[in-house]
Amino acid sequence: MTVPLLLPPPIAPSARELAWQDRALCAETDPEAFFPLKGGSIRAAKKVCLRCDVRAECLQRALVQDERYGVWGGKSEGERRKLRKEMGLPEAVAV
C-alpha cells in the first residue's frame, strides 16, 4: 500500500525562508508577464525564469503553497498541477 505524501498546511514563511526572492529576476520584470489575462501568453515569463538562479526555490514554494495562478519556477498552472500529481502531492482543496 502506498502512503501519499502529505504536506503541512500553508503557513506564512519566515523572512529567512523567502530570502531567495531578493535574487529572483521576476522582481525586475513586469508582473503582468507572470499573471497574464486568460488566454494571454506566458512566453516572456518563461524566458525570464530560464535565466533565473532561484527557479528551483520558486517552484518549490509554488508547490508547497499550492500557488494556483501565474508562472512560478518556470511552470504554468497546468504544468504545476501535473507535476504535483506526478509527485503524489495531494490535490488542492478549494476554500
Side-chain angles (χ1 to χ4, degrees):
M1 182 168 118
T2 304
V3 178
L5 174 65
L6 299 177
L7 296 175
I11 56 171
S14 70
R16 184 177 56 89
E17 291 171 319
L18 295 179
W20 60 267
Q21 289 183 347
D22 293 336
R23 301 184 328 272
L25 291 179
C26 60
E28 304 167 12
T29 309
D30 180 4
E32 289 186 22
F34 295 87
F35 298 94
L37 296 175
K38 186 168 180 97
S41 176
I42 59 172
R43 275 191 214 121
K46 286 188 163 213
K47 284 182 180 180
V48 172
C49 292
L50 284 175
R51 299 186 337 262
C52 188
D53 292 336
V54 295
R55 185 174 60 204
E57 291 91 333
C58 181
L59 179 58
Q60 179 180 9
R61 180 208 183 271
L63 293 171
V64 169
Q65 294 294 323
D66 192 29
E67 291 292 346
R68 297 182 187 194
Y69 304 102
V71 175
W72 292 81
K75 304 285 185 194
S76 68
E77 298 100 332
E79 291 168 329
R80 289 192 310 277
R81 204 171 24 255
K82 182 179 177 185
L83 186 57
R84 286 179 66 85
K85 187 174 182 177
E86 289 171 357
M87 295 173 69
L89 299 176
E91 288 191 35
V93 177
V95 286

